[in-house]
Amino acid sequence: MSFYSKTLEASYAKQLDKELRASHAGETGAVWIYRGALCAEFILSLFKIVRSTSETTRFIHQHLKTEKHHLDIFENELPRFRGSFILPLWIGAGFMTGFIPRLLGENWFFYTIYCVEQFVDTHYENQCCQLVMQPNPPSNVIDRLKRCQMDEQHHRDEAGSLMAKKTSLPMQLWGHLVNAGSSTAVSIARFI
Ligand SMILES: [Fe+2]
Ligand SMILES: [Fe+2]
């Protein structure tokens, strides 16, 4: 193998490591979004503020199960990568992204999930496009990312269909914040 192809291969391996780290951080955050939502549901029920509909509770539990499965794929089925050094930050951010909107109401919560999953769908799409362009595309990685992406698309559509009311201006501002936060988190997690 020539020096040039060795250097190129090392650079692709480094790139893959970055991408897997960023998505692993995202899937960790996703698990904690639903844990945050469950915590908010518990608080709401404790103070008997609003009773959650069984549909919302089912949604949270079902999505939590899928996000745990995604995390398991990253931790056990994909090539080894260095995890983000600031995983606790992504856990905290994920928790608040589920906790705050769930406290504010079901419509806020479903809209937040819609925004998050819309972002994640695009994120996986970009990653798969990048990986496909490599000289030796890692099909084991691409297949699994695509599988996760399909689940996220389903999550997005389901959340959108469960929104009972139109989005208010504060909700839209929150949606922008969630998008900007997700984008910043991915950029940072690629490196640390
Ligand atoms: Fe996921
Ligand atoms: Fe998801």
Side-chain angles (χ1 to χ4, degrees):
M1 190 184 277
S2 71
F3 173 75
Y4 176 71
S5 52
K6 258 187 186 170
T7 314
L8 202 63
E9 206 164 280
S11 136
Y12 285 134
K14 210 173 172 186
Q15 185 62 29
L16 183 62
D17 187 68
K18 277 183 188 176
E19 294 304 327
L20 291 180
R21 176 163 48 258
S23 293
H24 172 256
E27 293 295 353
T28 305
V31 166
W32 283 88
I33 284 177
Y34 294 105
R35 287 184 174 151
L38 283 178
C39 183
E41 291 229 316
F42 175 71
I43 290 172
L44 291 172
S45 71
L46 208 60
F47 294 99
K48 294 190 172 55
I49 299 169
V50 265
R51 182 174 283 186
S52 176
T53 60
S54 57
E55 180 66 359
T56 307
T57 309
R58 177 207 59 80
F59 177 97
I60 296 174
H61 282 287
Q62 208 171 333
H63 284 223
L64 176 60
K65 193 176 162 196
T66 313
E67 300 304 353
K68 279 181 178 173
H69 176 60
H70 291 172
L71 195 54
D72 185 64
I73 290 175
F74 276 84
E75 292 180 348
N76 297 305
E77 293 183 24
L78 290 174
R80 291 184 77 83
F81 56 91
R82 174 179 71 72
S84 172
F85 289 134
I86 47 173
L87 220 44
L89 185 67
W90 312 133
I91 288 174
F95 184 90
M96 295 314 285
T97 306
F99 182 76
I100 296 171
R102 184 61 201 94
L103 275 188
L104 293 173
E106 290 178 337
N107 217 44
W108 272 83
F109 176 62
F110 290 132
Y111 179 62
T112 304
I113 298 302
Y114 177 85
C115 293
V116 169
E117 298 293 17
Q118 179 69 46
F119 175 86
V120 180
D121 175 34
T122 311
H123 167 76
Y124 276 136
E125 184 65 33
N126 292 340
Q127 277 192 333
C128 290
C129 286
Q130 273 183 26
L131 293 173
V132 162
M133 286 193 301
Q134 289 194 5
N136 289 316
S139 57
N140 58 331
V141 176
I142 296 169
D143 288 351
R144 285 172 174 86
L145 295 188
K146 283 208 173 292
R147 220 188 301 155
C148 290
Q149 185 188 10
M150 277 171 64
D151 288 338
E152 315 299 11
Q153 288 168 342
H154 174 67
H155 287 172
R156 176 200 60 202
D157 296 343
E158 194 187 4
S161 72
L162 285 168
M163 284 177 64
K165 296 177 218 152
K166 279 189 174 175
T167 52
S168 59
L169 185 64
M171 276 170 73
Q172 287 173 23
L173 292 173
W174 167 253
H176 285 302
L177 186 69
V178 166
N179 258 311
S182 304
S183 178
T184 309
V186 165
S187 303
I188 296 173
R190 280 198 177 104
F191 296 95
I192 47 175

